[in-house]
């Protein structure tokens, strides 16, 4: 017996194909303006905005609806300083020996280095943890498709940040186990992605990149 008798009606949106077309193109135009930002303003952002952004990420689909994510929202100046310090220590080692010559060459257009001052400039840092398993009454329950689920939630988080006119960067100082200690996360959680969130600096610059065209990213089977 399935549980489908207990399902509730889905409230679908009533719209014309024309409206759909307009929404599809305007959402694309909005998202195509998104850029990874490394130069931030220190201007404050209300917590309520961050809360809605994180709630939006929490609407992501997940394996068996286990919602295997924890969003750590950091405003504490002291914690941001500690995160910067630890991230820079790892990045210093990465840029000075751990990353291959090819990798460093591939990164040249982005002008990155081991220094991450933006981790202290931004009003907020969101650190996303994936929950590998849940502990229920002392029993371990593995979650399903954890990387896929958390990756999708992060995509939705990034879209929500951009939608409100804020900027972010998908930052992965690696290894990033230091985040487990600094944020005192339990054993079932693993750091997944670190996102500084704030206004872009007034004089923020981004590399002059182009995106692949539709024909380069899609194959249509008509
Ligand atoms: N984590 C480093 C290096 C880095 C790696 C890739 I792949 C990027 O696209 C960008 C940076 C850093 O943040 O500088």
């Amino acid at each position: 017996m399935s549980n489908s008798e207990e399902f509730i009606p889905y409230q679908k949106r009533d719209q014309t194909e024309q409206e759909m077309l307009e929404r599809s193109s305007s959402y694309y135009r909005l998202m195509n303006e998104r850029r990874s930002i490394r130069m931030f303003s220190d201007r404050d952002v209300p917590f309520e905005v961050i809360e809605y952004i994180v709630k939006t990420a929490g609407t992501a689909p997940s394996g068996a609806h286990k919602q295997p994510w924890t969003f750590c929202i950091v405003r504490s100046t002291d914690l941001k300083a500690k995160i910067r310090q630890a991230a820079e220590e790892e990045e210093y080692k990465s840029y000075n020996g751990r990353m291959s010559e090819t990798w460093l060459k591939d990164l040249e257009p982005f002008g990155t280095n081991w220094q991450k001052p933006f981790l202290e400039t931004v009003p907020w840092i969101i650190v996303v943890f994936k929950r590998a398993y849940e502990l229920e009454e002392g029993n371990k329950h593995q979650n399903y498709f954890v990387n896929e689920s958390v990756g999708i939630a992060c995509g939705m988080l990034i879209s929500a940040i951009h939608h409100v006119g804020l900027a972010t960067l998908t930052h992965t100082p690696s290894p990033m186990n230091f985040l487990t200690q600094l944020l005192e996360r339990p054993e079932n959680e693993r750091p997944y992605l670190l996102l500084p969130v704030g206004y872009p600096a007034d004089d923020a610059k981004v590399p002059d990149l182009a995106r692949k065209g539709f024909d380069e990213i899609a194959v249509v089977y008509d």
Side-chain angles (χ1 to χ4, degrees):
M1 262 293 269
S2 82
N3 289 326
S4 54
E5 298 95 84
E6 293 162 28
F7 280 19
I8 53 168
Y10 173 64
Q11 301 298 336
K12 69 182 173 68
R13 185 189 304 153
D14 209 10
Q15 67 177 4
T16 64
E17 208 168 289
Q18 184 55 35
E19 284 166 336
M20 184 192 278
L21 192 58
E22 281 163 14
R23 292 175 81 99
S24 66
S25 75
S26 73
Y27 195 63
Y28 162 67
R29 277 182 274 110
L30 171 73
M31 293 312 296
N32 197 32
E33 287 166 3
R34 187 202 60 77
R35 295 299 309 259
S36 290
I37 295 294
R38 292 184 169 83
M39 300 157 86
F40 288 88
S41 153
D42 61 3
R43 185 172 162 194
D44 201 11
V45 170
F47 175 72
E48 288 69 22
V49 173
I50 302 298
E51 190 178 355
Y52 275 119
I53 285 168
V54 168
K55 282 167 74 155
T56 300
T59 68
S62 62
H65 192 53
K66 296 291 182 185
Q67 306 170 83
W69 40 65
T70 300
F71 299 92
C72 293
I73 302 170
V74 181
R75 169 155 54 190
S76 151
T77 311
D78 178 50
L79 260 181
K80 283 188 286 193
K82 287 181 173 143
I83 291 173
R84 175 185 178 182
Q85 167 78 25
E88 287 187 336
E89 271 171 33
E90 293 299 350
E91 295 288 20
Y92 185 85
K93 289 184 214 156
S94 296
Y95 278 88
N96 293 281
R98 287 203 291 228
M99 284 149 78
S100 67
E101 284 305 311
T102 316
W103 192 348
L104 292 171
K105 192 120 202 76
D106 277 339
L107 285 180
E108 266 172 24
F110 306 94
T112 59
N113 62 34
W114 62 271
Q115 287 167 308
K116 306 295 169 192
F118 55 79
L119 292 174
E120 284 191 272
T121 313
V122 284
W124 299 99
I125 293 177
I126 301 177
V127 185
V128 186
F129 284 79
K130 62 177 181 183
R131 301 173 66 95
Y133 59 89
E134 304 297 332
L135 267 182
E136 281 147 19
E137 291 157 12
N139 296 319
K140 261 192 191 182
H141 290 276
Q142 291 298 326
N143 286 326
Y144 311 99
F145 298 101
V146 171
N147 282 321
E148 292 82 348
S149 304
V150 181
I152 294 166
C154 286
M156 294 175 65
L157 183 70
I158 293 162
S159 310
I161 291 167
H162 179 66
H163 178 244
V164 300
L166 294 173
T168 189
L169 173 72
T170 48
H171 185 40
T172 51
S174 68
M176 49 180 174
N177 316 338
F178 65 85
L179 293 165
T180 301
Q181 279 88 55
L182 284 179
L183 301 172
E184 300 176 351
R185 299 319 303 160
E187 150 61 29
N188 63 322
E189 295 187 12
R190 314 281 149 73
Y192 186 86
L193 195 60
L194 187 162
L195 301 113
V197 184
Y199 288 90
D202 287 336
D203 57 352
K205 286 202 168 65
V206 292
D208 187 11
L209 306 176
R211 293 195 162 106
K212 287 183 180 178
F214 180 75
D215 292 342
E216 292 169 283
I217 62 168
V219 184
V220 182
Y221 301 82
D222 226 345

